[in-house]
Amino acid sequence: MSVFVLDTNKKPQNPVHPAKARLLLTEGKAAVFRQFPFTIILKETVLDVASNPLRIKIDPGSRESGIAVINDDSGEIVFAMELRHRGQQIKNNLESRRAIRRSRRNRKTRYRKPRFDNRTRAEGWLPPSLKSRVHNIETWVNRLCRFCNIQAISMELVRFDMQKIQNPEISGVAYQQGELMGYEVREYLLEKWDRTCAYCGKTDIPLEIEHIVPKSKGGSNRVSNLTLACTACNRKKGNKPLEQFLSRKPGLLKRIQKQSKVPLKDAGAVNTTRWDLFRTLKKTGLPVETGSGGLTKFNRTTRGLHKTHWLDAACVGKSTPEKMFQIDKAVLIVKADGHGSRQMCRVNKFGFPRTTAKSTEKKVKGFQTGDIVKAVVTSGKKVGTYTGRVAVRKSGSFNIKTVDKTVQGINWKYCRLLHASDGYSYNTTC
């Protein structure tokens, strides 16, 4: 993962190798501008050098999205990250709030009739749990545009080509015999059946597409009649009806019949937000290229890359270079945590307050809960160096949560801010 560079006017320059960034920092020619993603700012004015145009590529997902910044000319993966969304957490919070609100109305408290017909939703409205996915990606696209010279965007607009899944011959036999033959259907089935054999449950083995109702018995090629099976199970079943093959396993039979009719929840979330995300990216004014999930897998497979969210992002669209490389194998893992709760005080399971009202002022001595700080304690019982998230207190005695423990009672004077709280937590993997 390269290091982003800004000039003295905070304009993006060409990203540099981490070793070059360390040299600039050691020689005092640059300073740390931001920790995540790691960005340095030059202290001296340099000659104007045209920065290379880069492309940001996005593989949107329901739980995780992959983002990669690529140089189309050289094929270098300049930056890679995986963004973990909090849509399910938002959904759970809203359901909890609704349950407490309804319980409160049913008790002998001040009664207010629930409103049904006097509220309207704007055109294109999405539930908060889905809209948060769009906002997360929008936030990071805007950030990366500030730190490097982004000139184009590629995104996976459709996870699956639904028409070609339902009827593979919709575009004629030429499609079935082309290079993309089977990629859309196979990718859909891998997601739907959790990449496991439907009959024996084995994973991490070659899987074959199998007809639940055999074609010799009148079965069709529709996706609802397809599943995945290992070679042994596929040969063992042959052209037997499913009921006959699993006559001694009624539980498994019932599960397969049920799962074959269940749509993909995560795919539904992606399909619901895809156009809203596309319109959001178009507002940046940059050209936006789109591609399908089948094309992404085809690009990744033909280039011999393993499956990860950020490599899927790097392989989105027809603009994918034939050869790609990465000078540093580090990948930034970003998790959306939000900016806290709007509740003035915590409540118990019955909806009654159990804490005092929180202060309207978030910052204490220049710090706020969630900031990443470094505390160098030089005296007292807690002598040492601690780096982690801080929880502030009015008294000025903070708690710092490090990787392995929580240190309580650290005076604010020992703390130095490394990264201000921005609603995300960070980790790096190699």
Side-chain angles (χ1 to χ4, degrees):
M1 184 165 57
S2 300
V3 176
F4 296 126
V5 181
L6 302 178
D7 65 9
T8 54
N9 296 319
K10 297 183 180 180
K11 293 184 179 180
Q13 302 294 302
N14 287 324
V16 298
H17 192 281
K20 179 67 178 297
R22 282 193 296 270
L23 183 62
L24 291 172
L25 293 172
T26 303
E27 295 178 348
K29 296 181 180 179
V32 176
F33 181 79
R34 186 182 178 89
Q35 288 283 340
F36 304 102
F38 194 75
T39 308
I40 61 175
I41 183 169
L42 300 176
K43 293 183 178 180
E44 301 175 358
T45 303
V46 296
L47 296 176
D48 290 334
V49 178
S51 55
N52 297 326
L54 303 175
R55 177 186 295 270
I56 184 170
K57 311 188 81 172
I58 305 166
D59 174 34
S62 175
R63 296 184 178 91
E64 296 184 21
S65 294
I67 298 178
V69 177
I70 291 186
N71 186 330
D72 287 338
D73 296 332
S74 64
E76 177 189 355
I77 302 177
V78 175
F79 174 79
M81 64 173 282
E82 293 186 358
L83 177 59
R84 298 176 180 174
H85 301 291
R86 59 189 293 259
Q88 189 60 43
Q89 179 186 348
I90 293 175
K91 181 175 182 293
N92 294 338
N93 291 343
L94 290 174
E95 289 177 347
S96 174
R97 188 179 69 175
R98 180 177 61 181
I100 292 174
R101 181 174 65 245
R102 289 183 176 180
S103 174
R104 186 170 61 245
R105 285 175 177 167
N106 289 332
R107 295 193 303 269
K108 294 182 179 179
T109 53
R110 181 178 66 85
Y111 180 73
R112 177 179 63 79
K113 292 183 179 181
R115 298 169 293 180
F116 291 100
D117 298 329
N118 60 343
R119 289 176 289 181
T120 58
R121 292 171 177 170
E123 184 179 356
W125 176 88
L126 288 175
S129 57
L130 297 181
K131 191 68 176 179
S132 69
R133 297 174 170 91
V134 179
H135 287 325
N136 292 156
I137 296 176
E138 179 187 11
T139 296
W140 278 95
V141 168
N142 291 334
R143 284 185 184 179
L144 293 173
C145 286
R146 293 199 302 267
F147 301 145
C148 56
N149 184 24
I150 301 294
Q151 294 297 320
I153 301 176
S154 297
M155 68 165 288
E156 194 176 272
L157 182 62
V158 288
R159 184 61 176 152
F160 313 105
D161 191 332
M162 293 299 183
Q163 286 185 321
K164 288 171 182 173
I165 286 174
Q166 294 297 333
N167 182 7
E169 296 184 355
I170 193 167
S171 296
V173 179
Y175 172 79
Q176 288 182 299
Q177 295 176 349
E179 288 186 314
L180 288 176
M181 175 182 178
Y183 271 87
E184 300 286 353
V185 176
R186 184 173 180 80
E187 182 67 11
Y188 181 89
L189 293 175
L190 286 170
E191 293 287 339
K192 183 174 183 178
W193 296 94
D194 297 326
R195 289 177 163 77
T196 61
C197 174
Y199 302 128
C200 66
K202 292 182 180 179
T203 58
D204 299 325
I205 58 174
L207 298 173
E208 302 174 352
I209 297 178
E210 205 275 321
H211 292 76
I212 297 176
V213 179
K215 294 189 69 174
S216 60
K217 306 292 183 181
S220 67
N221 287 326
R222 295 183 66 86
V223 72
S224 58
N225 188 46
L226 300 178
T227 185
L228 294 173
C230 62
T231 303
C233 291
N234 197 5
R235 291 178 179 177
K236 186 177 180 181
K237 180 177 180 293
N239 66 343
K240 299 177 184 176
L242 185 65
E243 293 78 7
Q244 178 184 346
F245 180 62
L246 298 178
S247 59
R248 297 183 180 180
K249 300 179 180 179
L252 180 60
L253 172 63
K254 186 177 180 180
R255 183 183 66 81
I256 292 177
Q257 289 177 334
K258 181 180 179 181
Q259 190 171 353
S260 64
K261 299 177 182 179
V262 173
L264 275 172
K265 179 181 178 181
D266 291 338
V270 174
N271 285 341
T272 303
T273 58
R274 55 180 175 163
W275 286 109
D276 189 62
L277 177 59
F278 176 76
R279 288 188 291 267
T280 300
L281 295 178
K282 290 287 286 185
K283 291 179 182 178
T284 61
L286 299 174
V288 180
E289 176 197 34
T290 61
S292 71
L295 177 60
T296 299
K297 183 175 181 180
F298 174 76
N299 289 337
R300 175 169 51 80
T301 304
T302 54
R303 287 157 180 79
L305 303 174
H306 60 278
K307 179 172 178 58
T308 60
H309 292 286
W310 64 274
L311 279 176
D312 275 347
C315 295
V316 168
K318 295 182 178 179
S319 63
T320 305
E322 288 298 325
K323 294 183 179 180
M324 294 186 291
F325 68 95
Q326 188 181 17
I327 60 174
D328 187 78
K329 302 302 180 184
V331 176
L332 185 64
I333 306 298
V334 181
K335 180 182 178 183
D337 293 326
H339 293 275
S341 171
R342 294 182 180 178
Q343 286 180 308
M344 288 305 297
C345 61
R346 301 296 184 185
V347 297
N348 59 19
K349 64 179 181 179
F350 302 108
F352 290 103
R354 62 177 177 85
T355 61
T356 57
K358 65 183 180 183
S359 172
T360 56
E361 182 61 36
K362 283 189 173 183
K363 290 197 173 183
V364 176
K365 306 296 184 180
F367 300 91
Q368 75 176 47
T369 298
D371 289 346
I372 301 177
V373 301
K374 181 178 182 180
V376 181
V377 182
T378 57
S379 62
K381 296 180 179 180
K382 298 183 175 65
V383 174
T385 302
Y386 309 99
T387 303
R389 298 274 179 178
V390 66
V392 301
R393 300 290 183 270
K394 281 186 178 180
S395 62
S397 178
F398 298 165
N399 297 343
I400 299 179
K401 185 177 182 182
T402 63
V403 176
D404 54 352
K405 62 181 178 179
T406 299
V407 184
Q408 299 181 350
I410 302 296
N411 193 284
W412 68 273
K413 294 180 181 179
Y414 296 121
C415 298
R416 180 170 65 89
L417 181 65
L418 297 180
H419 189 87
S421 175
D422 59 357
Y424 298 91
S425 58
Y426 302 92
N427 193 9
T428 304
T429 182
C430 294

PDB file of all heavy atoms in Angstrom, residues 266-277:
ATOM      1  N   ASP A 266     -28.502 -10.712   0.934  1.00  0.00           N
ATOM      2  CA  ASP A 266     -27.412  -9.773   0.702  1.00  0.00           C
ATOM      3  C   ASP A 266     -27.423  -9.249  -0.728  1.00  0.00           C
ATOM      4  O   ASP A 266     -27.152  -8.073  -0.972  1.00  0.00           O
ATOM      5  CB  ASP A 266     -26.068 -10.448   0.999  1.00  0.00           C
ATOM      6  CG  ASP A 266     -25.890 -10.723   2.484  1.00  0.00           C
ATOM      7  OD1 ASP A 266     -26.568 -10.047   3.278  1.00  0.00           O
ATOM      8  OD2 ASP A 266     -25.105 -11.612   2.841  1.00  0.00           O
ATOM      9  N   ALA A 267     -27.736 -10.141  -1.685  1.00  0.00           N
ATOM     10  CA  ALA A 267     -27.817  -9.695  -3.076  1.00  0.00           C
ATOM     11  C   ALA A 267     -28.958  -8.704  -3.249  1.00  0.00           C
ATOM     12  O   ALA A 267     -28.854  -7.746  -4.020  1.00  0.00           O
ATOM     13  CB  ALA A 267     -28.015 -10.891  -4.005  1.00  0.00           C
ATOM     14  N   GLY A 268     -30.045  -8.911  -2.503  1.00  0.00           N
ATOM     15  CA  GLY A 268     -31.159  -7.964  -2.553  1.00  0.00           C
ATOM     16  C   GLY A 268     -30.762  -6.594  -2.037  1.00  0.00           C
ATOM     17  O   GLY A 268     -31.160  -5.565  -2.592  1.00  0.00           O
ATOM     18  N   ALA A 269     -29.959  -6.568  -0.964  1.00  0.00           N
ATOM     19  CA  ALA A 269     -29.496  -5.289  -0.426  1.00  0.00           C
ATOM     20  C   ALA A 269     -28.605  -4.563  -1.432  1.00  0.00           C
ATOM     21  O   ALA A 269     -28.715  -3.343  -1.609  1.00  0.00           O
ATOM     22  CB  ALA A 269     -28.744  -5.515   0.884  1.00  0.00           C
ATOM     23  N   VAL A 270     -27.726  -5.310  -2.093  1.00  0.00           N
ATOM     24  CA  VAL A 270     -26.840  -4.696  -3.086  1.00  0.00           C
ATOM     25  C   VAL A 270     -27.638  -4.190  -4.274  1.00  0.00           C
ATOM     26  O   VAL A 270     -27.415  -3.080  -4.769  1.00  0.00           O
ATOM     27  CB  VAL A 270     -25.757  -5.698  -3.535  1.00  0.00           C
ATOM     28  CG1 VAL A 270     -24.922  -5.116  -4.672  1.00  0.00           C
ATOM     29  CG2 VAL A 270     -24.868  -6.082  -2.361  1.00  0.00           C
ATOM     30  N   ASN A 271     -28.585  -4.993  -4.738  1.00  0.00           N
ATOM     31  CA  ASN A 271     -29.391  -4.583  -5.890  1.00  0.00           C
ATOM     32  C   ASN A 271     -30.259  -3.372  -5.566  1.00  0.00           C
ATOM     33  O   ASN A 271     -30.557  -2.560  -6.439  1.00  0.00           O
ATOM     34  CB  ASN A 271     -30.268  -5.741  -6.357  1.00  0.00           C
ATOM     35  CG  ASN A 271     -29.485  -6.793  -7.109  1.00  0.00           C
ATOM     36  OD1 ASN A 271     -28.387  -6.531  -7.583  1.00  0.00           O
ATOM     37  ND2 ASN A 271     -30.026  -7.988  -7.205  1.00  0.00           N
ATOM     38  N   THR A 272     -30.681  -3.241  -4.298  1.00  0.00           N
ATOM     39  CA  THR A 272     -31.529  -2.116  -3.908  1.00  0.00           C
ATOM     40  C   THR A 272     -30.746  -0.807  -3.888  1.00  0.00           C
ATOM     41  O   THR A 272     -31.280   0.248  -4.230  1.00  0.00           O
ATOM     42  CB  THR A 272     -32.145  -2.366  -2.526  1.00  0.00           C
ATOM     43  OG1 THR A 272     -32.887  -3.600  -2.558  1.00  0.00           O
ATOM     44  CG2 THR A 272     -33.085  -1.244  -2.132  1.00  0.00           C
ATOM     45  N   THR A 273     -29.481  -0.879  -3.494  1.00  0.00           N
ATOM     46  CA  THR A 273     -28.688   0.342  -3.341  1.00  0.00           C
ATOM     47  C   THR A 273     -27.839   0.681  -4.563  1.00  0.00           C
ATOM     48  O   THR A 273     -27.233   1.753  -4.598  1.00  0.00           O
ATOM     49  CB  THR A 273     -27.747   0.202  -2.132  1.00  0.00           C
ATOM     50  OG1 THR A 273     -26.901  -0.948  -2.315  1.00  0.00           O
ATOM     51  CG2 THR A 273     -28.541   0.027  -0.854  1.00  0.00           C
ATOM     52  N   ARG A 274     -27.791  -0.199  -5.553  1.00  0.00           N
ATOM     53  CA  ARG A 274     -26.818  -0.025  -6.636  1.00  0.00           C
ATOM     54  C   ARG A 274     -27.037   1.261  -7.421  1.00  0.00           C
ATOM     55  O   ARG A 274     -26.087   2.003  -7.705  1.00  0.00           O
ATOM     56  CB  ARG A 274     -26.860  -1.231  -7.571  1.00  0.00           C
ATOM     57  CG  ARG A 274     -28.246  -1.519  -8.124  1.00  0.00           C
ATOM     58  CD  ARG A 274     -28.300  -2.715  -9.042  1.00  0.00           C
ATOM     59  NE  ARG A 274     -29.670  -2.993  -9.445  1.00  0.00           N
ATOM     60  CZ  ARG A 274     -30.006  -3.751 -10.471  1.00  0.00           C
ATOM     61  NH1 ARG A 274     -29.055  -4.311 -11.189  1.00  0.00           N
ATOM     62  NH2 ARG A 274     -31.262  -3.956 -10.778  1.00  0.00           N
ATOM     63  N   TRP A 275     -28.308   1.549  -7.777  1.00  0.00           N
ATOM     64  CA  TRP A 275     -28.559   2.738  -8.593  1.00  0.00           C
ATOM     65  C   TRP A 275     -28.392   4.014  -7.788  1.00  0.00           C
ATOM     66  O   TRP A 275     -27.957   5.049  -8.325  1.00  0.00           O
ATOM     67  CB  TRP A 275     -29.954   2.673  -9.216  1.00  0.00           C
ATOM     68  CG  TRP A 275     -30.025   1.696 -10.345  1.00  0.00           C
ATOM     69  CD1 TRP A 275     -30.663   0.492 -10.368  1.00  0.00           C
ATOM     70  CD2 TRP A 275     -29.398   1.829 -11.618  1.00  0.00           C
ATOM     71  NE1 TRP A 275     -30.472  -0.136 -11.578  1.00  0.00           N
ATOM     72  CE2 TRP A 275     -29.700   0.664 -12.368  1.00  0.00           C
ATOM     73  CE3 TRP A 275     -28.604   2.806 -12.202  1.00  0.00           C
ATOM     74  CZ2 TRP A 275     -29.242   0.466 -13.661  1.00  0.00           C
ATOM     75  CZ3 TRP A 275     -28.140   2.614 -13.495  1.00  0.00           C
ATOM     76  CH2 TRP A 275     -28.463   1.459 -14.215  1.00  0.00           C
ATOM     77  N   ASP A 276     -28.727   3.970  -6.511  1.00  0.00           N
ATOM     78  CA  ASP A 276     -28.512   5.137  -5.664  1.00  0.00           C
ATOM     79  C   ASP A 276     -27.020   5.426  -5.542  1.00  0.00           C
ATOM     80  O   ASP A 276     -26.588   6.585  -5.590  1.00  0.00           O
ATOM     81  CB  ASP A 276     -29.134   4.911  -4.281  1.00  0.00           C
ATOM     82  CG  ASP A 276     -29.132   6.166  -3.432  1.00  0.00           C
ATOM     83  OD1 ASP A 276     -29.780   7.149  -3.829  1.00  0.00           O
ATOM     84  OD2 ASP A 276     -28.466   6.174  -2.382  1.00  0.00           O
ATOM     85  N   LEU A 277     -26.222   4.373  -5.396  1.00  0.00           N
ATOM     86  CA  LEU A 277     -24.775   4.547  -5.346  1.00  0.00           C
ATOM     87  C   LEU A 277     -24.238   5.061  -6.675  1.00  0.00           C
ATOM     88  O   LEU A 277     -23.365   5.943  -6.705  1.00  0.00           O
ATOM     89  CB  LEU A 277     -24.106   3.212  -4.992  1.00  0.00           C
ATOM     90  CG  LEU A 277     -22.579   3.198  -4.977  1.00  0.00           C
ATOM     91  CD1 LEU A 277     -22.036   4.199  -3.976  1.00  0.00           C
ATOM     92  CD2 LEU A 277     -22.058   1.794  -4.673  1.00  0.00           C
TER      93      LEU A 277
END
